[in-house]
């Protein structure tokens, strides 16, 4: 009971106070300092709100253990039943990205490798396992899980990763297995997934110590659906010329749709962001100062080099206006029917980009390139993420042939900085940019 | 006074190249020497030498390419990809696919009817597929670079070298020698192994355009033949293949004027 009160107070009282204090400190620091010259447009006002939202999420998480049930889940997990049961939800992938973006990944990667995890394993998994083993995290503390929940709609790595977490924390793990979709999903695949969602609810109810309220599940589902629609609207603002933001901004602003999906906080944030973006479109404000070329990004971002990379492109008038990765969280909206939460979840969570064949990937790349009027594409061949990177050589040729796009294949890793070679990558990027002149 | 109009410098990881061209893109004089750690000084001295030899204007515009280009701040800087495409196009006058094999990297560049880059691929993270791979292993076999082509042509059959990693290939070669395999067969096999790596880089880009080759490794006939075998296609080695990048750099100056 006491822990529950502390958890609630952390979000409602302590965090707002701390946040007010730290934003006042930031303002003092900034006073008198000249903004550094850069090739970007004016920063989005929403950035401050985003920072608040995500910091609050991690801050409140520190007090979740013992107060509410805690689940650690994969990014593509159908979390709506968990949210409806009052779970605090932690996304290890988001946490790993944060570690990498804050340049705190190397020690954690090495900790996992010293424990015997292969360097070929996805760096999200290694960072997370390293953090679980050492307890080190830049967010202060992650709540211990009561339940681990993974879904194979993004990759198979997650099943082994979560089994390892389960034995480390000695808690149950549920896996939702989503057969790979070639063309269209078979009806028996969908019923197989729906059954597993039923089993998930049984386990989650046991841990939460209460039965799921169908109305609350439907409300959560509706909120998740609305969030996806709103996120899609934000992304579509990028179709304007100049695009009011960059897909690199999008990589940061997608955090709420991943981690807070199904909550009102998430949706009110995206309403604000959508309105700000549409206002920028009306006023002709671009994400970069001079947009001369528009690019598409494929695969996960390179979290540890985002600023450097985006500056390199923006300085020469290249703006990433669309990314398959951010788009993945908007695609599912049409498949969700809040009145049929489990049935429609089964389909929505199966039809995700990494669980679909190469034909679909190609069609979706082409459609995005055309809708967003991209004249080039950068395909990040991501050492960690095999399912996303496999087939990129063929995708590259097809995009070049069919749409006459200039395409660069960039070899790196989304969160292991040791797999990034500055000189060579700079050289390739420069050659790619020179080819536009 | 000569008719020199531009200087192009290619500061590669292994060799430093500089050319002086006239307004038609003809090379009036050139320089090839091992790259020194003091690249800026090397470029200054090299350029001064060429200018003096030709007695031309010391204030000629300069363009630099290669990994060390950033160390020459007074020059216009362009990547090797763009410069090789410009150089190769100037020499052939039509679109093509160029394989440039240098000491530390191999580049494949497809260029169009204006010498513009259409596509490219690079092997620059790993020594397998570069001149360095050959150098290390030939050194182990005590075979001087000058006699490689002759030796390989004497082989009855290539000995299979399966490792593509330079470190592993080196120990594989040592054990092949210990097993009594003939050195010429091993040298032949090494070229085949290297060519198949490079062919994998070429294949996704290959179209109908003629295949061209440049870079120091293009002087090695055994390598050219092995690559022709791997690609099933004839390859034309560009004249003075080591200078194509520097030439392209000089042409870029001309194009920008
Ligand atoms: S392998 Fe790819 S899909 Fe799987 S966890 Fe890593 S980044 Fe995500």
């Amino acid at each position: 009971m006491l822990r529950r009160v502390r958890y609630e107070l952390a979000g409602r009282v302590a965090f707002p106070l701390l946040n007010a204090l730290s934003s006042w400190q930031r303002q003092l620091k900034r006073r008198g300092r000249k903004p550094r010259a850069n090739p970007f447009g004016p920063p989005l006002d929403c950035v401050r709100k985003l920072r608040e939202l995500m910091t609050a999420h991690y801050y409140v998480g520190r007090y979740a253990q013992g107060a509410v049930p805690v689940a650690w889940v994969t990014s593509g997990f159908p979390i709506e039943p968990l949210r409806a049961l009052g779970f605090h939800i932690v996304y290890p992938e988001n946490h790993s990205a944060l570690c990498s973006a804050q340049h705190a990944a190397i020690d954690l990667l090495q900790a996992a490798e010293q424990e015997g995890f292969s360097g070929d394993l996805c760096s999200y998994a290694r960072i997370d396992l390293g953090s679980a083993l050492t307890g080190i995290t830049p967010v202060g503390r992650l709540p211990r899980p009561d339940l681990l929940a993974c879904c194979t709609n993004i990759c198979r790595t997650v099943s082994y990763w979560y089994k390892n977490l389960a034995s480390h924390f000695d808690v149950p793990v549920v896996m939702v297995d989503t057969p790979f979709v070639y063309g269209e999903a078979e009806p028996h695949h969908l019923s197989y997934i729906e059954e597993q969602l039923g089993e998930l609810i049984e386990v989650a109810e046991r841990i939460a110590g209460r039965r799921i309220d169908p109305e609350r599940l439907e409300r959560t589902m509706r909120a998740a659906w609305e969030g996806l629609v709103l996120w899609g609207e934000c992304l579509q603002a990028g179709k304007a010329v100049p695009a009011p933001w960059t897909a690199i901004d999008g990589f940061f602003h997608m955090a709420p749709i991943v981690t807070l999906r199904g909550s009102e906080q998430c949706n009110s944030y995206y309403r604000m962001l959508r309105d700000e973006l549409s206002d920028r479109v009306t006023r002709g404000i671009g994400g970069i100062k001079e947009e001369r070329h528009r690019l598409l990004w494929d695969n996960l971002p390179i979290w540890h080099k985002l600023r450097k990379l985006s500056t390199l492109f923006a300085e020469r008038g290249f703006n990433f206006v669309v990314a398959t990765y951010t788009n993945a969280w908007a695609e599912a909206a049409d498949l969700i029917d809040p009145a049929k939460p489990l049935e429609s979840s089964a389909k929505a969570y199966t039809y995700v980009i990494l669980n679909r064949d190469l034909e679909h990937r190609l069609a979706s790349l082409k459609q995005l390139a055309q809708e967003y009027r991209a004249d080039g594409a950068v395909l990040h061949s991501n050492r960690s993420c095999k399912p996303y990177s496999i087939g990129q050589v063929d995708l590259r040729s097809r995009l070049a042939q069919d749409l006459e796009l200039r395409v660069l294949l960039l070899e790196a890793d989304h969160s292991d900085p040791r797999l990034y070679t500055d000189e060579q990558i700079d050289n390739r990027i420069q050659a790619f940019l020179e080819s536009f002149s | 006074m000569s008719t020199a109009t531009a200087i192009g410098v290619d500061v590669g990881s292994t060799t430093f190249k500089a050319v002086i061209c006239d307004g038609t893109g003809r090379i009036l004089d050139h320089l090839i020497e091992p790259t020194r750690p003091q690249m800026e000084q090397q470029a200054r001295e090299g350029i001064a030498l060429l200018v003096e030899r030709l007695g031309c204007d010391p204030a000629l515009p300069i363009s630099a390419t290669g990994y060390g280009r950033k160390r020459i701040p007074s020059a216009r800087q362009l990547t090797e990809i763009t410069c090789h495409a410009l150089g190769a196009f100037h020499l052939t006058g039509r679109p093509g696919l160029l394989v440039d094999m240098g000491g530390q990297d191999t580049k494949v560049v497809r260029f169009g009817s204006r010498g513009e880059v259409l596509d490219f691929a690079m092997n620059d993270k790993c020594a397998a597929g570069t001149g360095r791979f050959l150098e290390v292993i030939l050194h182990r076999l005590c075979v001087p670079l000058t006699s490689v082509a002759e030796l390989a042509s004497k082989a009855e059959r290539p000995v299979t070298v399966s490792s593509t990693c330079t470190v592993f290939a080196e120990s594989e070669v040592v054990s092949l020698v210990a097993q009594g395999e003939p050195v010429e067969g091993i040298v032949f096999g090494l070229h085949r192994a290297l060519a198949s790596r490079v062919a994998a880089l070429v294949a996704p880009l290959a179209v109908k355009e003629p295949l061209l080759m440049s870079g120091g490794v293009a002087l090695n006939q055994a390598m050219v033949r092995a690559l022709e075998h791997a690609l099933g296609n004839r390859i034309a080695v560009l004249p003075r293949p080591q200078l194509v990048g520097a030439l392209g750099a000089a042409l870029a100056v001309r194009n920008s004027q």
Side-chain angles (χ1 to χ4, degrees), chain A residues 192-306:
Chain A
Y192 164 61
I193 298 160
E194 200 181 329
E195 264 170 43
Q196 295 176 74
L197 293 178
E199 287 162 14
L200 158 75
I201 291 177
E202 277 173 32
V203 177
E205 283 179 335
R206 214 168 44 239
I207 291 171
R210 66 161 111 141
R211 302 302 299 263
I212 199 160
D213 169 1
E215 268 176 36
R216 191 159 170 204
L217 176 61
E218 192 182 320
R219 271 203 312 277
T220 311
M221 206 67 208
R222 189 172 300 284
W225 168 79
E226 197 193 342
L228 298 175
V229 171
L230 286 165
W231 174 238
E233 288 172 1
C234 295
L235 292 180
Q236 282 175 23
K239 289 181 182 170
V241 182
W245 64 338
T246 77
I248 311 281
D249 297 320
F251 291 141
F252 292 107
H253 289 270
M254 70 191 276
I257 195 64
V258 180
T259 57
L260 301 171
R261 192 169 64 253
S263 70
E264 180 44 36
Q265 284 164 300
C266 167
N267 297 355
S268 69
Y269 175 71
Y270 286 125
R271 272 181 226 114
M272 259 173 68
L273 179 62
R274 177 199 58 193
D275 295 346
E276 186 178 358
L277 289 170
S278 82
D279 177 56
R280 278 168 78 115
V281 170
T282 318
R283 295 197 286 142
I285 300 174
I288 69 170
K289 281 183 187 136
E290 266 185 71
E291 182 183 285
R292 288 194 293 273
H293 294 284
R294 297 165 64 84
L295 300 175
L296 174 153
W297 178 276
D298 183 49
N299 211 313
L300 276 77
I302 304 173
W303 291 112
H304 47 101
K305 284 284 174 189
L306 266 187

Side-chain angles (χ1 to χ4, degrees), chain A residues 50-66:
Chain A
L50 174 72
R51 198 186 303 125
E52 258 175 53
L53 200 59
M54 294 314 297
T55 315
H57 171 66
Y58 279 107
Y59 181 78
V60 170
R62 293 185 198 179
Y63 303 96
Q65 203 171 309

Side-chain angles (χ1 to χ4, degrees), chain B residues 40-129:
Chain B
E40 203 172 335
Q41 189 187 350
Q42 181 171 26
R44 234 187 356 258
E45 289 172 6
I47 292 166
L49 181 73
L50 288 178
V51 164
E52 191 190 321
R53 283 208 303 233
L54 279 178
C56 57
D57 178 5
L60 282 181
I62 306 168
S63 243
T65 186
Y67 276 109
R69 65 181 180 279
K70 289 181 195 144
R71 306 277 295 278
I72 308 177
S74 56
R76 176 176 181 213
Q77 295 164 7
L78 285 165
T79 59
E80 309 89 283
I81 304 288
T82 303
C83 291
H84 274 86
L86 284 173
F89 175 70
H90 177 76
L91 294 167
T92 59
R94 54 190 182 130
L97 187 81
L98 177 74
V99 181
D100 176 77
M101 285 185 76
Q104 306 271 11
D105 70 16
T106 292
K107 304 175 260 296
V108 183
V109 188
R110 192 157 73 80
F111 56 90
S113 53
R114 288 174 293 114
E116 79 280 16
V117 176
L118 297 178
D119 207 350
F120 67 91
M122 286 173 98
N123 165 29
D124 54 6
K125 285 197 172 173
C126 161

Side-chain angles (χ1 to χ4, degrees), chain B residues 161-181:
Chain B
V161 179
S162 45
S163 308
T164 44
C165 163
T166 313
V167 179
F168 294 150
E170 193 179 355
S171 44
E172 189 180 347
V173 162
V174 171
S175 59
L176 288 170
V177 173
Q179 285 161 27
E181 291 287 0

Side-chain angles (χ1 to χ4, degrees), chain A residues 12-28 30 48 52 55:
Chain A
R12 288 168 211 258
V13 183
F15 179 76
L17 282 175
L18 285 172
N19 185 51
L21 185 68
S22 76
S23 67
W24 178 66
Q25 281 172 331
R26 267 198 307 274
Q27 262 176 19
L28 276 186
R30 264 202 305 265
R48 203 156 36 101
E52 258 175 53
T55 315

Side-chain angles (χ1 to χ4, degrees), chain A residues 293-295 318 375-377 406-407 431-437:
Chain A
H293 294 284
R294 297 165 64 84
L295 300 175
F318 287 78
D375 40 12
R406 291 192 194 276
V407 189
F432 174 67
L433 301 184
E434 281 169 10
S435 76
F436 282 81
S437 52

